[in-house]
Amino acid sequence: MLNQSPQASVTIADIEVRIVDIPLLRPHKLAMATISCQTNVVVRIKDQDGREGWGEAAAIPHYGVETVETISCVIGKILVPDLIGKSFSGGRNICQFMDKVLHGHPYAKSAVELAYLDLLSRARAQSIAEYLGGPERDRLPSLWVLGNGIAEKDIAEAEHLLHNRLFQCFLLKIGASHPDADIARVRQVADAIGDRAELRVDVNQKWDEVTALHNAPKLFDAGISVIEQPVPRSDVAAMSTLTAQSGGRIMADEPVETMTDALKFIGSRACSAVSLKVGKNGGAVRTAEIAAVFAGARIPIFGGTMLESSLGVAAHSQVFSTFENLDFGQQLFGPKLMAAEFVKNPVRFEEFNLIVPLGPGSGVDIDLDILRDMTRKN
Ligand code: MUC
Ligand code: MG
């Protein structure tokens, strides 16, 4: 139940949107894109009393339909004009309002909602997690995405992260190469890591049903614990077949954005795990609603990322900390892949976990000078 105490409603006076370019420590290779600089949208909301809150939305090229340009434009040109001067008593209130302004665009809405919740919860001397009903846990098991695309480099990276006790769950990005080549790379990494860590794969929609049915058993035989989104987001029937027949755990990602998508996947038994992301699912309140439905269906949840900085990771980790179940941990690893941060107190990773910031609000504070330097000049 949300803590909707009426006395601290927020009247929005100003909303600022900016595109921020964040250099990465190495290129990050997914099936549909290789990222060498992560570009995110950062939102600042100010209320009539001068209080402020910050939110972030991250986008990955060719992952879905929103890009940082659409996110920035939808916020600046469509949402801001309708939000200025309005008062909102809570997260669900502002989400309902934005859904009336336009359909869809969950990433854009999530950045605005998180900035609003940061402001509101700070005004109430709470964390975002406390506002959502209170954290269930103060740290979250971490997964790292091995995105080198070369087995030897992925192995070396995994060994380094294991040795420093930062991550002991890894995910290999496949789908860009021929399945035989991908599986050979998976086997090489799995053999090197052995039982010292869990290993998953994410195909990012690149196989068709026949290819997935043929290759999934090989991946599970190689020791892979979870196959994420093997087929296109539109092919729910294939996900149902794979969930029933592949012999292992199939995680849905790209196609599960809305509550309607969630109910469709649960009703069709189209996954045996699901990746929820605060950006993809439309903000803290909407993501928590969807998580509750998957928990009710006894389908394990994984906390996904779109490569947010510490700003987004702080807020998203607080949302994930309130879930009834987070059986498959989370992949909010972006800050460890980034060569620069614009927060004064970056999130911390230790003993294979992400430490959930305590708040108030998101629990991190912005370095305005660094943020200005990283902001894309129009
Ligand atoms: C996903 O799960 O497809 C964003 C970064 C990354 O490594 O994976 C994507 C999200
Ligand atoms: Mg994925």
Side-chain angles (χ1 to χ4, degrees), residues 173 202 204 228 253-254 277:
K173 286 291 183 179
D202 189 349
N204 281 110
E228 190 176 326
D253 177 4
E254 285 86 338
K277 305 175 179 180

Side-chain angles (χ1 to χ4, degrees), residues 53-104:
W54 293 83
E56 180 184 37
I60 300 281
H62 313 299
Y63 168 95
V65 297
E66 291 186 65
T67 68
V68 288
E69 291 79 11
T70 65
I71 293 167
S72 171
C73 179
V74 162
I75 297 172
K77 303 289 187 197
I78 299 174
L79 292 173
V80 167
D82 278 35
L83 286 165
I84 297 296
K86 299 289 192 317
S87 299
F88 298 101
S89 57
R92 186 163 285 114
N93 191 207
I94 195 169
C95 287
Q96 288 167 335
F97 181 86
M98 290 193 285
D99 287 345
K100 289 194 180 84
V101 173
L102 86 164
H103 289 300

Side-chain angles (χ1 to χ4, degrees), residues 179-180 183 207-219 242:
D180 292 348
I183 289 171
W207 289 349
D208 63 15
E209 180 177 2
V210 171
T211 305
L213 277 170
H214 180 68
N215 289 291
K218 297 178 186 174
L219 289 168
L242 284 158

